[in-house]
Amino acid sequence: MENLFNLFIRNVFTENMVFAYFLGMCSFLAVSKTVKTSVGLGIAVVFVITVTVPVNWLLENYLLKAGALSWLGPAFEGVDLSFLSFLLFIAVIAAIVQLIEMVIEKTAPALYNALGIFLPLIAVNCAVLGAALFMQEREYGTIAEATVYGFGAGFGWALAIVVLAAIREKLKYSNVPVPLRGLGLAFILTGLLAIAFMGFSGIKI
Amino acid sequence: MKNLKLLINPLNNENPITVQVLGICSALAVTVQMKPAIVMALSVTVVTAFSNLIISMGRNTIPPRIRIIVQLVVVAFLVIVVDQLLKAYVYDVSKKLSVFVGLIITNCILMGRLEAFAMNNKPWESFLDGIGNGAGYGLILIALSTFRELLGSGSLMGYQLIPESVYQLGYKDNGMMILPPMALITVGLIIWIQRSYNTKLIEK
């Protein structure tokens, strides 16, 4: 079992969901206008990924992968249901996001309005499904590893969006050419941040 | 005519990538070469149009609490069909696209249009909206991939355009163009150019 702390740090920096794997870009670019909404979306995404990865880990290990069903009886040892993983993972994610949408609508209506269409879009945020698929590919041995991985991936995404929002807020007072302001600049900034994060790629922990 | 607007608007005023900020992830990943980009654009257009059609036909019967799950199932089904067709007719390109055909399921354009349009509009309009948005997405994909393939490999659609003699003179392919960060910067430049001409799009 790997060192859990190393696992967390690695997924926040070296293998950052946004800057290394470029997952979850749409909501990342569209919601990063202010730090306040970015923190809100970031927390929602951290919550979704931290909950869905361990749940999907349980599904993967007790239902989906080759030999997973052997707890039912020796007759099921050869069963390999991994072709269903795509469908099952996304169903779990969709259900949990629908739950969170209902909770946010009741408890923080201002945040609900600010996030708009991007809240249901967390369900198809490639970062969430990507985290589940990476968990499956890397075959984490224990649920603790899977949970720490999920928390690290979500935290990395949240960190990325808050960093971009902070830079964009500061740049509002700069003399940027008018057609480039806003979205165009966000794309260029993300590209530059990605190049910067490439610097982490040699670190092995 | 109102229906014509559904087809034309997403090409410029409501472009899914440069205005609505949807479908970015795949735009970065498949635009390293032109051929996979074109196949991807056609696949997304087909899936968006038909999923818009199907969900719009069922929009009054789907219970709001499970609508995301229903939408995802419809989209997943269509993507599986498209994936099989690609494997049968253009196998070499399907290999290059590999996971990204599956990831059309999570392509924000689909969910975005389903939630924003198909759930509230009639079937024929939704179908046209799907085609329009697919076309807008395809336009940006073709622009991006032309740029990246030409500068990153010196070729277009697989045909080597920059002759050997230029390489002998010391010209080197821009390796950064093959990496995603440059795709991001190129999209930023495309947005800059688009908004210079179409000043309505500039944010206040």
Side-chain angles (χ1 to χ4, degrees), chain A residues 34-104:
Chain A
T34 62
V35 173
K36 206 154 161 234
T37 41
S38 305
V39 170
L41 184 63
I43 293 179
V45 169
V46 171
F47 191 72
V48 171
I49 301 187
T50 313
V51 171
T52 56
V53 168
V55 171
N56 283 324
W57 185 90
L58 287 170
L59 273 178
E60 164 77 0
N61 282 288
Y62 291 108
L63 183 66
L64 289 171
K65 74 175 184 203
L69 281 174
S70 41
W71 55 272
L72 270 180
F76 293 96
E77 227 145 79
V79 175
D80 182 356
L81 289 175
S82 48
F83 64 94
L84 284 177
S85 33
F86 221 60
L87 211 55
L88 274 179
F89 285 172
I90 210 148
V92 164
I93 292 171
I96 293 183
V97 169
Q98 191 85 80
L99 209 83
I100 292 185
E101 192 188 340
M102 291 192 264
V103 168
I104 293 189

Side-chain angles (χ1 to χ4, degrees), chain B residues 159-179:
Chain B
Y159 297 110
Q160 190 68 27
L161 276 186
I162 299 186
E164 215 21 65
S165 46
V166 182
Y167 285 112
Q168 306 283 11
L169 287 174
Y171 172 80
K172 287 216 184 342
D173 288 325
N174 186 337
M176 276 297 278
M177 276 294 169
I178 306 205
L179 298 173

Side-chain angles (χ1 to χ4, degrees), chain A residues 10-201:
Chain A
R10 197 167 68 228
N11 281 297
V12 172
F13 294 105
T14 320
E15 298 185 0
N16 186 293
M17 269 297 181
V18 173
F19 296 126
Y21 292 112
F22 302 95
L23 296 175
M25 284 266 118
C26 309
S27 29
F28 173 78
L29 286 164
V31 179
S32 52
K33 293 202 186 98
T34 62
V35 173
K36 206 154 161 234
T37 41
S38 305
V39 170
L41 184 63
I43 293 179
V45 169
V46 171
F47 191 72
V48 171
I49 301 187
T50 313
V51 171
T52 56
V53 168
V55 171
N56 283 324
W57 185 90
L58 287 170
L59 273 178
E60 164 77 0
N61 282 288
Y62 291 108
L63 183 66
L64 289 171
K65 74 175 184 203
L69 281 174
S70 41
W71 55 272
L72 270 180
F76 293 96
E77 227 145 79
V79 175
D80 182 356
L81 289 175
S82 48
F83 64 94
L84 284 177
S85 33
F86 221 60
L87 211 55
L88 274 179
F89 285 172
I90 210 148
V92 164
I93 292 171
I96 293 183
V97 169
Q98 191 85 80
L99 209 83
I100 292 185
E101 192 188 340
M102 291 192 264
V103 168
I104 293 189
E105 192 177 0
K106 289 265 155 54
T107 57
L111 181 63
Y112 183 76
N113 283 324
L115 290 176
I117 203 167
F118 286 99
L119 192 47
L121 276 186
I122 297 182
V124 285
N125 186 330
C126 4
V128 183
L129 185 61
L133 293 175
F134 279 137
M135 172 276 302
Q136 184 185 43
E137 184 187 289
R138 294 176 194 171
E139 297 180 350
Y140 287 118
T142 65
I143 199 171
E145 278 182 13
T147 315
V148 170
Y149 165 67
F151 183 61
F155 189 77
W157 195 92
L159 182 75
I161 197 176
V162 172
V163 163
L164 187 67
I167 298 179
R168 282 179 82 173
E169 269 193 3
K170 276 258 144 75
L171 280 180
K172 273 211 206 97
Y173 302 107
S174 302
N175 198 3
V176 178
V178 181
L180 190 57
R181 277 183 207 171
L183 190 62
L185 197 58
F187 268 96
I188 297 185
L189 284 171
T190 312
L192 292 173
L193 280 167
I195 298 179
F197 266 69
M198 276 165 83
F200 285 117
S201 59

Side-chain angles (χ1 to χ4, degrees), chain B residues 1-177:
Chain B
M1 194 178 99
K2 210 174 125 221
N3 283 350
L4 196 62
K5 271 211 174 141
L6 287 173
L7 286 174
I8 303 285
N9 267 346
L11 289 175
N12 188 355
N13 286 336
E14 289 175 16
N15 189 296
I17 293 187
T18 58
V19 180
Q20 297 180 60
V21 203
L22 301 171
I24 312 286
C25 314
S26 50
L28 301 178
V30 308
T31 48
V32 183
Q33 292 177 329
M34 247 186 115
K35 209 158 162 213
I38 295 181
V39 172
M40 183 63 153
L42 286 170
S43 312
V44 168
T45 309
V46 166
V47 178
T48 316
F50 283 101
S51 63
N52 264 14
L53 182 69
I54 296 175
I55 293 289
S56 173
M57 289 196 292
R59 72 189 183 284
N60 294 318
T61 35
I62 301 174
R65 290 265 181 256
I66 58 163
R67 69 183 194 284
I68 295 184
I69 303 178
V70 172
Q71 289 166 354
L72 280 170
V73 169
V74 169
V75 173
F77 171 71
L78 284 166
V79 169
I80 293 174
V81 169
V82 167
D83 187 33
Q84 296 301 308
L85 282 173
L86 286 180
K87 283 206 182 102
Y89 290 109
V90 273
Y91 188 63
D92 56 330
V93 180
S94 141
K95 282 244 91 160
K96 278 218 190 84
L97 286 177
S98 63
V99 248
F100 289 99
V101 179
L103 280 182
I104 296 180
I105 300 178
T106 51
N107 188 324
C108 330
I109 295 183
L110 272 94
M111 266 304 239
R113 294 322 291 169
L114 285 174
E115 284 280 303
F117 200 88
M119 286 300 282
N120 303 308
N121 286 282
K122 300 216 194 78
W124 178 239
E125 277 83 11
S126 304
F127 185 74
L128 288 180
D129 177 81
I131 302 230
N133 277 282
Y137 172 76
L139 195 66
I140 300 294
L141 243 64
I142 291 177
L144 261 180
S145 58
T146 314
F147 208 61
R148 286 179 81 190
E149 197 181 352
L150 199 54
L151 289 176
S153 337
S155 59
L156 267 186
M157 292 291 277
Y159 297 110
Q160 190 68 27
L161 276 186
I162 299 186
E164 215 21 65
S165 46
V166 182
Y167 285 112
Q168 306 283 11
L169 287 174
Y171 172 80
K172 287 216 184 342
D173 288 325
N174 186 337
M176 276 297 278
M177 276 294 169

